[in-house]
């Protein structure tokens, strides 16, 4: 069995996810957001930090559905799979948060940020941590 460097494994995982997403999008017009987490992309490639208040819930910094929808848009615009793989790699990140913080993101204070980014946010100019900051979730990023 060939030996791959960590960087090669990371590149392969994100390319694999983009390729499968493209195939599903091409055949059905959509894909499944669950493709963006194990088994296609191992946790070790996407978990980047944790809340100072707990580690009970895995939270995608940008919801998977938002990333998935952007990938579909990119496919429809003819963007190549390697570019989509890099896009996924740059945006698919998870931190651990507490259950209370999860509830706050999903339902609290009229935030309703469970599966969306705040109004006006964009991939081109937006802060990927805006959901966490809006909910006042304090977190630390691991030294990777």
């Amino acid at each position: 069995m060939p030996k791959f460097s960590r960087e090669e494994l990371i590149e392969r995982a994100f390319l694999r996810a983009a390729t499968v997403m493209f195939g599903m999008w091409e055949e059905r017009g959509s894909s499944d957001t669950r493709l963006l987490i194990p088994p296609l992309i191992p946790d070790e490639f996407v978990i980047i930090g944790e809340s100072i208040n707990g580690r009970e819930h895995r939270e995608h910094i940008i919801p998977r559905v938002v990333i998935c929808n952007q990938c579909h848009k990119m496919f429809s615009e003819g963007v190549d799979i390697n570019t989509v793989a890099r896009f996924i790699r740059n945006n698919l990140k998870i931190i651990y948060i507490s259950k209370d913080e999860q509830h706050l993101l999903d339902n609290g204070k009229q935030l309703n940020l469970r599966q969306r980014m705040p109004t006006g946010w964009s991939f081109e100019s937006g802060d990927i941590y805006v959901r966490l900051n809006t909910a006042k979730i304090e977190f630390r990023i691991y030294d990777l």
Side-chain angles (χ1 to χ4, degrees):
M1 180 155 147
K3 177 93 172 147
F4 296 100
S5 71
R6 177 174 168 77
E7 180 59 28
E8 289 169 325
L9 291 171
I10 291 169
E11 285 183 19
R12 292 169 65 91
F14 286 97
L15 182 58
R16 181 171 45 248
T19 301
V20 172
M21 285 178 71
F22 178 74
M24 291 178 73
W25 172 82
E26 196 174 40
E27 294 167 14
R28 301 191 294 186
S30 66
S31 63
D32 193 321
T33 62
R34 292 172 293 186
L35 294 173
L36 298 177
I37 54 174
L40 295 181
I41 301 173
D43 276 350
E44 66 190 76
F45 299 159
V46 295
I47 294 177
I48 64 162
E50 65 186 54
S51 163
I52 63 167
N53 294 313
R55 298 181 42 127
E56 300 140 340
H57 174 74
R58 295 162 29 111
E59 183 64 39
H60 289 82
I61 293 172
I62 299 172
R64 289 178 297 177
V65 69
V66 174
I67 294 171
C68 211
N69 288 342
Q70 183 67 20
C71 290
H72 297 162
K73 180 178 182 232
M74 293 169 78
F75 293 144
S76 70
E77 293 170 350
V79 175
D80 67 275
I81 289 175
N82 288 318
T83 301
V84 174
R86 281 190 301 277
F87 167 81
I88 296 168
R89 182 176 180 179
N90 290 334
N91 291 286
L92 182 66
K93 302 188 184 311
I94 295 173
I95 69 162
Y96 291 107
I97 62 175
S98 71
K99 288 289 185 184
D100 289 340
E101 290 167 330
Q102 175 195 9
H103 180 74
L104 179 63
L105 266 180
D106 293 353
N107 309 307
K109 296 183 183 178
Q110 306 301 317
L111 293 180
N112 193 26
L113 294 175
R114 181 173 177 264
Q115 292 189 334
R116 66 177 192 85
M117 296 300 281
T119 304
W121 183 86
S122 72
F123 281 103
E124 295 76 26
S125 62
D127 172 10
I128 65 169
Y129 302 107
V130 69
R131 289 172 65 241
L132 304 173
N133 294 331
T134 299
K136 298 185 179 8
I137 296 172
E138 295 181 57
F139 59 93
R140 69 177 187 90
I141 301 300
Y142 300 145
D143 294 327
L144 301 174

